[in-house]
Each structure stands twice: as structure tokens, then as C-alpha cells.
């Protein structure tokens, strides 16, 4: 009984804290895309300063999102939201479409030759191409 | 942040055959303030706490009609106008090329770096944009504007040309009066590289402000004064005082440093209205903030320096009878302003879509020796 309870507690703790603290993030593009992506261009794409590719984001509730905001764009999620509200309420830009899951990002990028997104490096499939890996 | 709705039925009703994609977003600010003394007034607050003065709520509807055409309307209600809703922005937008867009309709006059989004408190750290610089008015114009973005080597360039006119209110000596600015023509240019950005703005136009209802003494208005001066054969003096189709110009310079830890902003502006009693206004502010995760404390300093145009009446001091000279002097002196303001505040991002802010402002008015302190706090959010 005690061991079962311990196991349940460990499981709960595990569920709560098993979120990877620092996952490798793969920036993915369509396999047809031969772009040589720099981290500078990645920032430009995800801040609306470049529309060379169509960026898709993970939803704000996704833990990978805030990690990507920091590592890929170099800003906190709140700073980026402030940035996009500047553009949005002055008619100068629309933030990247948000998709709920990594599976949706993978499917979107696989289907759209012009798309760019990101997923956990472990989730990458053969249907997409890794353009940049963020540690 | 975004509530995207595919308003298919609506779109079909509005634009037959076009598959429009409509997004609705909004922002709101709920702010409260109280001055630090019973004889102090600042930015519309006094010594009783007020939750209405700077609060506002806005809804923006943008409909993408495809083929690079979109229409945007922003409905905004301000607490100090009893939340009466009006169109703050209403324009159609057409993307000419990948880096060129033309907007036409009701637009924000691009005087300052923060003009376009000064109502969107969530977009910046301060509780309010620095009033010493941003308090000019004439916020919206009807017209057309062209944006052009470019990359000059590693520098991002944004050029904006604007043409239009203003028709609305102006505040003169605390009185709301009718104002027009015709043939507003302007250019703004912003250059950004890494953490650094610089902005230049120049706008000109023909300003007319109906000052006749401004009270100079009990039962004596500026209109009465102009009549009396004209009756005394002093039409040239009236022409030198009143604001009737006068050449006017605005110049603004801005510098920003934002490396995502530190944020420093400074803006300098100069406003001139020729042949009128309006003083040349030379104002600036400088602000420094430091981000500690979700907490951003900041300090800023504002300076306003408007010298009354006493040269208008100097040739007439010997000619004018005192009952006319005094109101002329009074009207011109009313434009004198020499003030310094210190602000100390913080932004706290307590929620993914909302920020709590608190700011203490202390204005020292050198012209009348009055000091005004104001404590304000509130929440800015986007949805």
C-alpha cells in the first residue's frame, strides 16, 4: 500500500516536473525549401520584419513556445506580445498563426512549401527539414 | 491573444463572392490616480481618487479581403469621455509590394515614436506616454499614408509619407475650441539596427484655431478683443495674434536603445505656428528602464519650454490703451510654460496578456511656481 502510494506520488511529481527544462528546438521548413537560415533571419521572420517565409507559432500554452521566444527570437513572451500589439493595433502586422500542437506544426510545414515553424528536436519527422537547431 | 473567427456568413453578406478572414482584437486599460495634495491637479486628476480619467477600452476589427486588400476599424471609448465609443482608426489598406503599403482613411498623426500605439498601454512600459511631449493633441487625421520598409545593409529602414487634414478639437487655455489643419504633409523615417533605433519626423500644415470663445477676463473673450483691436485700426495686430490659416510645422527626433535588458528612450519635439500667439514649443523627455524578468522599473524626465511670443505686442505698447494692452499681454503670456516632470514607475507582467503598472509623477511648473504630484496605477491588457 505504502509503495503504491509512493509510486502514485512519484508519478504525480514526475508529471509535474518532467517538462524538459531545456529541450533542443528544431526550426523546421518544408523539404522543398533550400533556404540557409541564420538566427538573425529567424528573429526577423518571427517579429514580422521579414515575410520571406510564413511563420507558424505554437500556442502560448505550450511550454516550448516561451523557450522558443527566448532562444529563437531573443525576447521574453511578454516582450514579444507587447511588440505584436504595437503592430497589430496600428495595422502594421499580424502575429504568426498559432497552432495548438507540435503535430499540427509538423503537418502545416510538411504541406506548405513556404512555411517555417519549430518543434522539439525529438519530434522531427522525415516530412520536414531542419533548418536550424536551437540548444 | 487572437480570437480569429471565420465570419463566413458576414463576409459573404458584405463582400459577395469574397472569402474574407476577419479578426477581432482588443485592448483595455483600467487606471486610477490621485494627486498628492489638495491644491494639486495633473493629467485630469485631483486629490480624490478617480478610476475613469485614463481608463479606456477598444475593439479592433480587421477584415482581410484577399488580393492584398484589408479594412481595419478600431472603436475606442475613453473614460474621460464617459466611454462614448468613436472610431479612433478606420482605414483601408492595400499592399502595393512586399515592402510597400498604402493606407487611407482615419489614421494616427505620426508625430511621435509612440503616436500610433499610445493608447495601447500594454505595448510599452510606462503607465502613460510622457505628457510633456505627447500632450499636443491633433492625434488623428483623415488622409492617406504610404509605408515603405527596406533593408539598408544591416539597417532596417521604415519610411512613412502622410498627407491629409485634421478637423476637430483643440484645447486653448483649458477651453475646447474648433481647429483645422489643412494640407498636412509629413515624412517620418525610422532606422533600426540591433538594439538601437533612431526616428525623424517632420510635418507641416495650415492651422486654423477659432480662439474667439477663449475667455480673457470675466465677460471678455478673445473675440471681443479682436473686435476692439480692429475697431481701433489695429488689424495687423489681430492678424499677428489669431490663428487663421497659419503655416505651422512639427519636428521630432527620437532615439531608442533596447537590448531586452535595458531600455532607454529619448524624444525631442519642436512645434511652431507662425503669425499667432502660440508659443514655439520645445519639449523633450528621456527615460531609462531595466527589465528583471517580469518586473520593469523605470525613471523618466520631461522638460517643456515654451517662450511666450512677447515680440508680437512690443511695437504696440506705447500705442495701445491699457484696457487693450493688458488682455493682449495676458493672452500671449498664457502660452508661457516652463515645466519639469520626474516620473518613477514600474511595469509588472503578472499575466500573459496583462501588465500591472504604477507610476509616481512630480511636475514642477516654473512659470507659476506650482508643484503637482500624482500617484497612478492600473492594468493594461490585450485580448
Amino acid at each position: 500500500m505504502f509503495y503504491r502510494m509512493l509510486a502514485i506520488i512519484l508519478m504525480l511529481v514526475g508529471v509535474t516536473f518532467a517538462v524538459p527544462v531545456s529541450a533542443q528546438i528544431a526550426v523546421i521548413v518544408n523539404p522543398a525549401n533550400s533556404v540557409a537560415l541564420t538566427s538573425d533571419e529567424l528573429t526577423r521572420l518571427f517579429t514580422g520584419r521579414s515575410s520571406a517565409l510564413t511563420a507558424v507559432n505554437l500556442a502560448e500554452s505550450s511550454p516550448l513556445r516561451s523557450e522558443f521566444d527566448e532562444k529563437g527570437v531573443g525576447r521574453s513572451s511578454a516582450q514579444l506580445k507587447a511588440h505584436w500589439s504595437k503592430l497589430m493595433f496600428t495595422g502594421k502586422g499580424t502575429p504568426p498563426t498559432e497552432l495548438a500542437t507540435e503535430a499540427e506544426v509538423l503537418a502545416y510545414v510538411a504541406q506548405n512549401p513556404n512555411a517555417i515553424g519549430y518543434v522539439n528536436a525529438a519530434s522531427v519527422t522525415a516530412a520536414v527539414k531542419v533548418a536550424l537547431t536551437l540548444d | 491573444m487572437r480570437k480569429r473567427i471565420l465570419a463566413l456568413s458576414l463576409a459573404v453578406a458584405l463582400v459577395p463572392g469574397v472569402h474574407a478572414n476577419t479578426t477581432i482584437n482588443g485592448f483595455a486599460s483600467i487606471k486610477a490616480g490621485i494627486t498628492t495634495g489638495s491644491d494639486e491637479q495633473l493629467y485630469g486628476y485631483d486629490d480624490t481618487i478617480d478610476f475613469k480619467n485614463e481608463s479606456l477600452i477598444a475593439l479592433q476589427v480587421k477584415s482581410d479581403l484577399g488580393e492584398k486588400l484589408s479594412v481595419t476599424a478600431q472603436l475606442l471609448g475613453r473614460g474621460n469621455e464617459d466611454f462614448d465609443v468613436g472610431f479612433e482608426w478606420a482605414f483601408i489598406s492595400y499592399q502595393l509590394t512586399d515592402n510597400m503599403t498604402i493606407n487611407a482613411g482615419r489614421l494616427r498623426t505620426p508625430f511621435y515614436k509612440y503616436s500610433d500605439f499610445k493608447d495601447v498601454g500594454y505595448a510599452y512600459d510606462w503607465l502613460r506616454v510622457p505628457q510633456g511631449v505627447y500632450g499636443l493633441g491633433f492625434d488623428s487625421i483623415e488622409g492617406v499614408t504610404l509605408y515603405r520598409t527596406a533593408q539598408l545593409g544591416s539597417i532596417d529602414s521604415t519610411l512613412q509619407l502622410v498627407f491629409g487634414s485634421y478637423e476637430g478639437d483643440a484645447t486653448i487655455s483649458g477651453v475646447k475650441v474648433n481647429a483645422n489643419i489643412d494640407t498636412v504633409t509629413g515624412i517620418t523615417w525610422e532606422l533600426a539596427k540591433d538594439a538601437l533605433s533612431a526616428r525623424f519626423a517632420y510635418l507641416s500644415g495650415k492651422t486654423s484655431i477659432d480662439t474667439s470663445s477663449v475667455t480673457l477676463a470675466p465677460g471678455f473673450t478673445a473675440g471681443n478683443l479682436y473686435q476692439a483691436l480692429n475697431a481701433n485700426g489695429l488689424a495687423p495686430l489681430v492678424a499677428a495674434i489669431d490663428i487663421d490659416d497659419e503655416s505651422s510645422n512639427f519636428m521630432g527626433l527620437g532615439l531608442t536603445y533596447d537590448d531586452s535588458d535595458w531600455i532607454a528612450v529619448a524624444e525631442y519635439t519642436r512645434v511652431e505656428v507662425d503669425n499667432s500667439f502660440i508659443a514655439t514649443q520645445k519639449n523633450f523627455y528621456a527615460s531609462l528602464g531595466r527589465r528583471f524578468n517580469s518586473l520593469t522599473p523605470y525613471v523618466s524626465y520631461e522638460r517643456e519650454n515654451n517662450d511666450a511670443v512677447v515680440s508680437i505686442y512690443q511695437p504696440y505698447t506705447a500705442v495701445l490703451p491699457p484696457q487693450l494692452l493688458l488682455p493682449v499681454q495676458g493672452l500671449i503670456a498664457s502660452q508661457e510654460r516652463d515645466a519639469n516632470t520626474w516620473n518613477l514607475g514600474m511595469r509588472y507582467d503578472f499575466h500573459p496578456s496583462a501588465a500591472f503598472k504604477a507610476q509616481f509623477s512630480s511636475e514642477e511648473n516654473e512659470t507659476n511656481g506650482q508643484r503637482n504630484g500624482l500617484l497612478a496605477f492600473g492594468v493594461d491588457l490585450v485580448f
Side-chain angles (χ1 to χ4, degrees):
Chain A
M1 186 63 192
F2 172 76
Y3 288 105
R4 185 180 286 177
M5 265 181 70
L6 188 67
I8 290 171
I9 290 168
L10 282 176
M11 236 174 71
L12 285 174
V13 171
V15 167
T16 319
F17 294 104
V19 176
V21 178
S22 184
Q24 270 204 334
I25 302 173
V27 178
I28 53 169
V29 294
N30 191 275
N33 193 333
S34 59
V35 68
L37 189 72
T38 63
S39 63
D40 196 40
E41 180 62 11
L42 182 67
T43 304
R44 299 170 59 79
L45 286 164
F46 277 87
T47 51
R49 280 183 293 147
S50 167
S51 51
L53 297 172
T54 309
V56 286
N57 234 331
L58 276 168
E60 280 173 27
S61 52
S62 160
L64 205 62
R65 165 70 178 271
S66 57
E67 214 177 316
F68 175 78
D69 287 345
E70 295 275 0
K71 288 180 183 172
V73 197
R75 302 264 143 159
S76 73
S77 298
Q79 276 173 264
L80 274 172
K81 189 165 217 161
H83 168 79
W84 279 112
S85 55
K86 272 178 212 178
L87 301 183
M88 204 163 55
F89 294 115
T90 58
K92 286 184 192 135
T94 312
T97 304
E98 289 179 0
L99 299 174
T101 63
E102 291 188 48
E104 283 178 55
V105 173
L106 285 162
Y108 185 91
V109 173
Q111 282 158 24
N112 294 282
N114 228 9
I116 181 164
Y118 58 90
V119 292
N120 202 309
S123 316
V124 172
T125 65
V128 297
K129 191 167 94 178
V130 175
L132 207 65
T133 305
L134 308 168
D135 281 314
Chain B
M1 182 182 223
R2 288 189 305 157
K3 290 205 176 65
R4 174 168 288 217
I5 53 163
L6 269 170
L8 273 176
S9 54
L10 185 69
V12 169
L14 290 173
V15 194
V18 177
H19 185 91
N21 185 354
T22 301
T23 43
I24 300 179
N25 295 103
F27 56 90
S29 294
I30 303 300
K31 284 170 190 169
I34 182 168
T35 56
T36 52
S38 59
D39 57 345
E40 296 173 20
Q41 289 186 337
L42 196 58
Y43 311 144
Y45 291 102
D46 58 23
D47 66 333
T48 43
I49 192 154
D50 182 303
F51 281 81
K52 200 173 176 185
N53 180 39
E54 286 187 295
S55 294
L56 58 85
I57 184 155
L59 271 184
Q60 175 169 301
V61 182
K62 180 181 178 186
S63 199
D64 191 342
L65 305 174
E67 306 289 323
K68 303 185 173 190
L69 187 66
S70 70
V71 55
T72 304
Q74 196 182 94
L75 287 156
L76 191 148
R78 293 179 199 279
N80 61 12
E81 289 162 2
D82 227 357
F83 293 106
D84 283 348
V85 172
F87 281 100
E88 195 71 19
W89 296 72
F91 62 91
I92 55 169
S93 183
Y94 186 71
Q95 197 181 352
L96 295 168
T97 65
D98 268 354
N99 58 6
M100 233 187 323
T101 303
I102 190 161
N103 292 354
R106 170 169 285 189
L107 312 158
R108 188 53 63 82
T109 322
F111 288 132
Y112 315 103
K113 180 169 172 65
Y114 293 82
S115 285
D116 281 1
F117 50 93
K118 76 181 180 75
D119 293 321
V120 191
Y122 186 84
Y124 48 84
D125 297 325
W126 306 306
L127 184 123
R128 70 180 70 77
V129 288
Q131 295 300 299
V133 167
Y134 283 72
L136 183 64
F138 313 109
D139 285 343
S140 297
I141 56 170
E142 278 76 39
V144 60
T145 188
L146 178 87
Y147 292 100
R148 188 177 195 287
T149 56
Q151 258 189 287
L152 312 169
S154 59
I155 299 172
D156 284 308
S157 155
T158 308
L159 185 72
Q160 182 185 3
L161 301 176
V162 63
F163 182 78
S165 61
Y166 173 88
E167 201 185 331
D169 292 335
T171 305
I172 298 276
S173 305
V175 182
K176 263 198 178 166
V177 294
N178 288 329
N180 283 307
I181 311 178
D182 292 330
T183 57
V184 174
T185 310
I187 181 169
T188 77
W189 193 22
E190 193 159 352
L191 294 171
K193 180 178 162 48
D194 304 324
L196 211 57
S197 79
R199 182 180 185 275
F200 168 78
Y202 186 86
L203 291 97
S204 67
K206 291 277 191 186
T207 304
S208 300
I209 300 177
D210 181 8
T211 49
S212 56
S213 61
V214 173
T215 303
L216 301 175
F220 191 69
T221 63
N224 299 138
L225 174 66
Y226 299 157
Q227 270 178 356
L229 290 172
N230 278 325
N232 280 275
L234 293 165
L237 179 57
V238 174
I241 293 172
D242 69 1
I243 313 166
D244 182 18
D245 206 29
E246 312 294 359
S247 293
S248 37
N249 68 76
F250 173 96
M251 196 268 289
L253 293 171
L255 265 182
T256 310
Y257 176 85
D258 183 350
D259 70 3
S260 124
D261 287 330
W262 291 95
I263 171 158
V265 191
E267 277 189 275
Y268 170 83
T269 60
R270 190 197 65 199
V271 184
E272 289 176 334
V273 182
D274 293 349
N275 283 321
S276 75
F277 73 98
I278 301 291
T280 297
Q281 304 175 21
K282 292 176 189 164
N283 304 331
F284 79 85
Y285 72 85
S287 169
L288 182 68
R290 172 77 165 93
R291 295 195 181 95
F292 301 97
N293 296 317
S294 50
L295 193 68
T296 309
Y298 58 84
V299 59
S300 70
Y301 173 76
E302 303 168 28
R303 173 101 175 89
E304 292 163 82
N305 186 4
N306 312 339
D307 288 328
V309 212
V310 293
S311 59
I312 292 178
Y313 61 77
Q314 272 161 356
Y316 299 92
T317 41
V319 198
L320 278 175
Q323 70 270 26
L324 291 180
L325 180 62
L326 286 173
V328 166
Q329 285 174 327
L331 179 63
I332 289 167
S334 71
Q335 292 296 298
E336 176 87 22
R337 181 163 167 83
D338 184 351
N340 305 293
T341 307
W342 280 98
N343 303 290
L344 191 66
M346 59 132 225
R347 172 197 178 113
Y348 174 53
D349 287 291
F350 71 98
H351 180 276
S353 294
F356 172 81
K357 293 176 183 175
Q359 181 171 320
F360 174 71
S361 301
S362 175
E363 179 199 78
E364 190 86 54
N365 186 331
E366 309 276 353
T367 309
N368 62 13
Q370 168 94 10
R371 196 200 73 87
N372 295 299
L374 171 67
L375 185 64
F377 47 90
V379 172
D380 289 317
L381 55 96
V382 290
F383 54 93

